[in-house]
Amino acid sequence: MNEGIRIFPDSASTFAPQVDLLFFTLVAFAGALGLFLTGLVIVYAARYRRNAPAARHRARGRSLPFEIAWTSATTIVAAIIFAWGAALFLRDERIPSDALVVNGIAKQWMWKFRHPGGQREINALHVPRGEPVVVRLGSQDVIHSMFVPAFRVKQDVVPGRSTELWFEATKTGKFRLFCAEYCGTEHSKMTGWITVMEPEDYADWLDRQAQAPSMAEEGEALFRALGCSGCHGASSEIRAPELAGIFSRPVATETGTVTADATYIRDSILQPDKHVAAGYRAVMPSFDGLVSEAELQALVAYIRSLSLDEEVPQ
Amino acid sequence: MTDAVTGKAPDTGSYLGEKHGPRAWLLSFDHKRIAWLYLLALTAFFFIGGAMAVMMRLELATAEGDLVSDDTYNRLFSIHGIIMIWFFLVPSIPATLGNFLLPLMIGARDLALPRLNLASWYVFMGGSLFTLFAVLMGGVDTGWTFYTPYSSIYSNSYVSAAAFGVFIVGFSSIMTGINFIVTIHRLRATGLTWFRLPIFVWTMYATALVMVLATPVLAASLILIVAERVLGLGVFDPALGGDPLLFQHLFWFYSHPAVYIMILPGMGVVSEILPCFSRQPLFGYKAVALSSMAIAVFGFLVWGHHMFVSGQSAYAGILFSLFSFLVAVPSAIKVFSWSLTLRRGSIRFPTPMLYALTFLFLFTFGGLAGLFLAALVVDVHLHDTYFVVAHFHYIMVGGMVTAFMGGLHFWWPKITGRMYPEFWGRIAAIATFVGFNFTFFPQYILGYLGMPRRYHSYPEEFSFWHVMSSAGAIILAVSYLMPLVYLGLSLVRGRPAPADPWEATGLEWRTSSPPPQENFDETPTVTGPAYDYINPEPEAQDKGAQHEHGQPERSP
């Protein structure tokens, strides 16, 4: 691993070249402006040092054209950089709907990942090259942050909410995973490796792992064990919203329309009164404290699977 | 133009010679003596915080965590941050140079509220010693940012005590802020209109406003942490129904404006030094003055740029990014104006000028790095890496501490009545420049490579840049220890200083060095603008005059 002096990080995702282009444009701009100003000060310092023979008519101490010129130039340059950074940021916000969903749990001081088929990994994550992957993140304790420098991605993992980080790897190989948000004693040990494999190697690798129930199957079992099916089931006596086909679709609620994403499902389990579906009474009890962060992810995976038979909205 | 009042021997009729003994100093309402109380306390905190930085850099000289344990390392960077931010940088220039100079610069006998001034020092000492006590008891390991729910629930260090100490120190900031605002409004000398004020006074005013408006929010957020830790009140911990991001919003609502509390006074000092040693009025005086106010106002609208990857809404991120770019504009105006002040000047390079030029260079490169961090998609990669560490040290250390050292040398003759040794001063200033860049430039590269901050150990591939940074830190440490020695010695051995050793124009130079207890024998009046420097005619100087081909006396 010791490669001596490194100046450039690995570049292994579709984001990396976009971020680097802006980064190096900024390096060029900052370098040029910084060196120009430094050069200017050095030239002045040498030319106008005391006793140096140079023309010095009484300066007026201000020049309105200069001041207007640099104020507007600075504003324009700032606006351009802002727009560039913001446009990329917004574009990268949209997660492709066909992305492979991996669930991740952060806790002091390790990363636990589960593939859709139920395969588990600790401080390591195998992903296929050339396919969008979304990591749905939850924390069991404090705030952590999932950071993969080679992909130029980072997302805080916040207890009490579900966050998502996505990427599409472009190169096979092993890339470092760091926790970027300080989380206590062994923060600097909360690291791991992302292994990018060709899709067929990834499929082989998944097959070779210890077989466990898939995330959706585990979620389905929980769905029954917690009694969710008693009301949300098709033949239930109590009227509760049908869950098949709702994932990623708009849901009408008393207070407006929300999208039934992972966060909405999670919130509806823990705080059912927050967004009651229109036309239903708020009779569902809260499951806060009864389900762990990993179980919530399994339930979300199950409810999502109920929508996968149909076409996923684009 | 130079004042005729010169060269009184120190200690006769000066504020230093009035009364002796601890009581006369510890219970004095004289702003000049209170400035000394602050200076001594802040110097001690600066070197305690600095010693922790040196220990961290020694640990980071090797990739493995081998010098201290991980828990110890976490305490080191937490206490380094807490001490340097709250017990050094926030009060640094305002409470020392500001306290000493503000009344002198506006022709007043003292601050408007002398008792409040002394009280602020006692509050500061009470709070800071309380935190120091918590540190000695076992430390605090939350980082200076106290992020919840780590700080409120999970950390088993002395968080409540440390946060409570910082809470108390906040009141001292507010007291100083109120005092400065009242003083600047009420006690300006006859003829000293707002646009005749030195820029240093403008920056003190802007700083004071931010102190008064932002500090209460910090107080609120720290008290909420203590309430959650001690009383189990659910505010930030989701397990208790709280929201961890709420803390980040509250914390940065104070702490981003606090960044401007920590840099505006440095800008003020540099705005005094550059015109003086260039013999030129400050370029674009009004724009520089008003840009301080613009920074103070815009500073309140950018806190969310610390939270681009925290899970806050993408649209909030975009607004905060936009405002962050806008706050770059007034800073750029200042940099251009300082640079052009040198143009057609007659420039000398004593120690304060070397520090001021170092400030200009480091502040420019630190500020430009800020553009990277304000650009959303780039910040996603750089956030919480060493790039951020490098950026804020360029501003806070390269900017503010350098300006503080420059100001300390510039006004040392006025404050002490003694000259410092010029040779050693220049060596220290140059060593600061070299040591600083060796320490912190490699950290920009480390950050881009993906090295996260607050890591006790790190992968081998980052070694090269870490070793360079640690080596630079040693040079930097020496460059800060040197003034401690020669400035200390100059108190007894220094050549007595004349009233105006730099031929500067501010009111503070119109009284003796050191000033009498009442500041001025005669209340001064002001008839002209600030920085009314006159470029000496090259002919009038010395040899070489016959080679002169300029026409310095062409009428303006």
Side-chain angles (χ1 to χ4, degrees):
Chain A
M1 274 302 110
N2 192 348
E3 299 168 42
I5 306 170
R6 290 180 48 143
I7 299 174
F8 304 108
D10 286 326
S11 165
S13 79
T14 51
F15 298 142
Q18 303 173 3
V19 174
D20 283 357
L21 182 62
L22 177 52
F23 182 87
F24 283 105
T25 306
L26 282 169
V27 169
F29 170 72
L33 181 59
L35 292 179
F36 169 73
L37 285 171
T38 309
L40 193 70
V41 167
I42 290 174
V43 167
Y44 285 163
R47 190 148 171 236
Y48 299 112
R49 69 186 185 280
R50 178 172 268 195
N51 301 338
R56 297 179 175 93
H57 1 237
R58 190 80 203 273
R60 281 168 61 233
R62 65 170 306 165
S63 154
L64 201 57
F66 265 24
E67 291 180 55
I68 291 173
W70 68 47
T71 305
S72 40
T74 320
T75 313
I76 291 166
V77 170
I80 293 172
I81 305 170
F82 158 73
W84 188 346
L88 285 182
F89 183 75
L90 269 191
R91 199 168 80 191
D92 298 348
E93 269 287 300
R94 263 173 256 128
I95 301 174
S97 54
D98 59 343
L100 175 74
V101 180
V102 176
N103 284 286
I105 294 281
K107 56 177 278 193
Q108 287 176 325
W109 291 276
M110 64 169 75
W111 296 98
K112 300 202 291 188
F113 296 103
R114 280 196 78 182
H115 294 265
Q119 296 87 344
R120 295 167 193 272
E121 295 189 75
I122 287 181
N123 291 343
L125 177 62
H126 289 70
V127 293
R129 186 186 65 81
E131 286 178 28
V133 174
V134 55
V135 187
R136 206 159 271 159
L137 291 159
S139 166
Q140 273 185 14
D141 37 51
V142 300
I143 301 176
H144 303 275
S145 188
M146 181 168 174
F147 177 31
V148 186
F151 296 169
R152 313 285 187 275
V153 291
K154 185 180 290 126
Q155 175 62 55
D156 284 6
V157 189
V158 185
R161 66 170 74 188
S162 157
T163 56
E164 285 163 333
L165 168 136
W166 83 276
F167 53 82
E168 184 180 326
T170 53
K171 261 186 216 160
T172 57
K174 283 180 82 178
F175 304 103
R176 287 198 182 275
L177 160 69
F178 292 117
C179 175
E181 184 63 65
Y182 172 69
C183 59
T185 307
E186 290 180 33
H187 169 55
S188 58
K189 294 280 187 301
M190 192 167 159
T191 61
W193 293 96
I194 308 286
T195 306
V196 180
M197 312 170 97
E198 291 297 344
E200 45 292 4
D201 297 336
Y202 173 69
D204 285 349
W205 179 87
L206 284 178
D207 287 341
R208 276 184 279 113
Q209 300 308 301
Q211 293 306 308
S214 74
M215 285 298 280
E217 283 163 7
E218 191 183 309
E220 188 177 7
L222 272 168
F223 195 74
R224 292 182 203 296
L226 292 165
C228 314
S229 53
C231 302
H232 289 282
S235 57
S236 146
E237 295 284 301
I238 302 166
R239 227 167 61 84
E242 176 66 40
L243 298 181
I246 63 154
F247 199 83
S248 304
R249 286 178 192 276
V251 175
T253 72
E254 314 267 273
T255 49
T257 304
V258 292
T259 305
D261 54 8
T263 304
Y264 171 76
I265 308 239
R266 192 180 179 289
D267 284 353
S268 299
I269 298 169
L270 300 180
Q271 304 161 41
D273 297 345
K274 193 169 167 188
H275 296 293
V276 181
Y280 292 91
R281 283 190 303 127
V283 292
M284 178 171 158
S286 165
F287 286 77
D288 198 359
L290 291 175
V291 280
S292 72
E293 208 53 55
E295 289 171 336
L296 279 168
Q297 290 182 341
L299 284 167
V300 171
Y302 168 62
I303 290 165
R304 179 171 182 267
S305 75
L306 297 176
S307 304
L308 286 184
D309 310 333
E310 307 161 44
E311 213 169 292
V312 178
Q314 292 302 309
Chain B
M1 285 306 264
T2 324
D3 209 294
V5 190
T6 47
K8 273 188 201 168
D11 279 22
T12 50
S14 88
Y15 80 98
L16 290 171
E18 284 292 313
K19 281 183 188 135
H20 296 285
R23 276 180 63 90
W25 280 87
L26 291 172
L27 297 176
S28 169
F29 297 139
D30 183 352
H31 66 103
K32 301 183 286 302
R33 290 198 169 194
I34 297 169
W36 269 106
L37 295 179
Y38 267 116
L39 183 62
L40 293 177
L42 295 183
T43 304
F45 279 119
F46 178 73
F47 283 102
I48 295 172
M52 308 220 160
V54 168
M55 280 165 77
M56 278 150 63
R57 283 314 324 169
L58 288 177
E59 167 64 68
L60 293 170
T62 57
E64 303 80 32
D66 38 18
L67 184 69
V68 295
S69 73
D70 41 14
D71 271 329
T72 307
Y73 181 82
N74 295 343
R75 282 164 168 73
L76 281 175
F77 73 68
S78 301
I79 296 153
H80 167 75
I82 291 171
I83 287 182
M84 287 304 206
I85 300 276
W86 282 301
F87 306 155
F88 179 72
L89 283 168
V90 167
S92 61
I93 290 179
T96 58
L97 296 175
N99 226 333
F100 195 97
L101 294 164
L102 185 58
L104 287 165
M105 283 182 164
I106 63 172
R109 287 184 166 191
D110 203 324
L111 288 173
L113 311 162
R115 283 181 173 78
L116 189 69
N117 195 17
L118 183 65
S120 84
W121 184 76
Y122 279 99
V123 170
F124 173 80
M125 291 312 288
S128 57
L129 290 177
F130 190 76
T131 299
L132 205 61
F133 174 71
V135 169
L136 293 177
M137 290 300 290
V140 58
D141 72 342
T142 59
W144 77 277
T145 47
F146 291 111
Y147 267 24
T148 55
Y150 183 71
S151 64
S152 60
I153 302 292
Y154 290 87
S155 170
N156 42 32
S157 60
Y158 291 80
V159 180
S160 298
F164 192 65
V166 173
F167 169 79
I168 295 173
V169 167
F171 286 95
S172 149
S173 280
I174 296 172
M175 289 175 181
T176 303
I178 290 173
N179 213 343
F180 282 12
I181 292 173
V182 176
T183 305
I184 296 169
H185 272 277
R186 304 292 300 164
L187 298 186
R188 281 173 287 128
T190 317
L192 190 54
T193 58
W194 282 88
F195 284 112
R196 285 178 178 172
L197 286 174
I199 294 295
F200 183 78
V201 177
W202 273 101
T203 59
M204 283 301 121
Y205 187 73
T207 305
L209 278 181
V210 181
M211 280 175 166
V212 171
L213 294 176
T215 314
V217 181
L218 173 75
S221 39
L222 292 175
I223 278 299
L224 288 174
I225 287 187
V226 176
E228 185 162 285
R229 262 186 97 83
V230 179
L231 307 175
L233 214 64
V235 183
F236 305 121
D237 182 21
L240 301 172
D243 181 357
L245 290 193
L246 174 63
F247 176 80
Q248 296 181 26
H249 282 290
L250 289 173
F251 181 82
W252 290 116
F253 186 83
Y254 161 81
S255 292
H256 200 81
V259 169
Y260 299 109
I261 295 179
M262 293 181 257
I263 190 64
L264 281 167
M267 295 170 159
V269 167
V270 169
S271 302
E272 301 301 310
I273 296 175
L274 288 172
C276 175
F277 295 112
S278 307
R279 315 306 305 163
Q280 284 277 74
L282 183 70
F283 191 94
Y285 167 90
K286 262 193 189 175
V288 174
L290 294 176
S291 65
S292 296
M293 301 308 290
I295 289 173
V297 172
F298 274 117
F300 276 100
L301 303 175
V302 301
W303 79 88
H305 70 206
H306 296 269
M307 300 169 61
F308 288 156
V309 299
S310 68
Q312 84 179 352
S313 132
Y315 296 98
I318 283 175
L319 263 187
F320 284 122
S321 169
L322 178 64
F323 285 126
S324 306
F325 277 107
L326 288 182
V327 89
V329 175
S331 303
I333 289 173
K334 284 178 185 260
V335 168
F336 293 138
S337 298
W338 290 324
S339 303
L340 280 204
T341 299
L342 301 182
R343 185 162 166 262
R344 300 199 168 154
S346 173
I347 308 170
R348 282 176 296 160
F349 300 96
T351 309
M353 187 65 168
L354 294 182
Y355 275 117
L357 292 174
T358 300
F359 169 96
L360 192 51
F361 179 85
L362 298 177
F363 177 75
T364 301
F365 278 89
L368 286 168
L371 296 179
F372 292 67
L373 296 170
L376 280 158
V377 83
V378 179
D379 182 68
V380 169
H381 177 58
L382 297 176
H383 179 76
D384 269 333
T385 67
Y386 265 72
F387 194 93
V388 177
V389 178
H391 164 66
F392 68 71
H393 281 88
Y394 262 71
I395 304 289
M396 298 288 101
V397 184
M400 186 67 162
V401 178
T402 304
F404 181 66
M405 298 303 281
L408 201 58
H409 285 82
F410 187 56
W411 284 293
W412 190 253
K414 180 58 59 187
I415 295 171
T416 65
R418 303 278 189 172
M419 298 303 289
Y420 62 85
E422 191 56 53
F423 173 78
W424 289 108
R426 289 184 195 188
I427 299 282
I430 292 166
T432 300
F433 180 82
V434 173
F436 182 87
N437 283 301
F438 263 108
T439 309
F440 292 105
F441 195 80
Q443 298 187 3
Y444 281 130
I445 298 168
L446 278 172
Y448 177 57
L449 288 174
M451 168 79 209
R453 57 192 284 211
R454 298 176 167 178
Y455 264 36
H456 168 238
S457 58
Y458 54 85
E460 195 67 43
E461 67 230 41
F462 299 127
S463 279
F464 176 81
W465 301 110
H466 270 301
V467 170
M468 189 191 276
S469 180
S470 294
I474 302 299
I475 304 177
L476 192 59
V478 172
S479 82
Y480 288 138
L481 284 168
M482 284 173 59
L484 186 68
V485 176
Y486 67 73
L487 287 182
L489 286 177
S490 79
L491 284 175
V492 277
R493 291 203 196 156
R495 188 158 53 78
D500 188 4
W502 312 120
E503 298 166 324
T505 60
L507 287 184
E508 76 270 29
W509 305 105
R510 283 211 222 158
T511 186
S512 54
S513 300
Q517 195 181 6
E518 305 289 312
N519 287 350
F520 298 95
D521 296 331
E522 253 175 74
T523 310
T525 53
V526 179
T527 52
Y531 312 112
D532 197 13
Y533 286 105
I534 290 189
N535 214 328
E537 301 151 28
E539 282 95 340
Q541 282 175 12
D542 49 349
K543 70 244 178 204
Q546 64 270 33
H547 301 299
E548 193 52 57
H549 44 72
Q551 290 182 309
E553 268 309 296
R554 188 187 293 164
S555 53

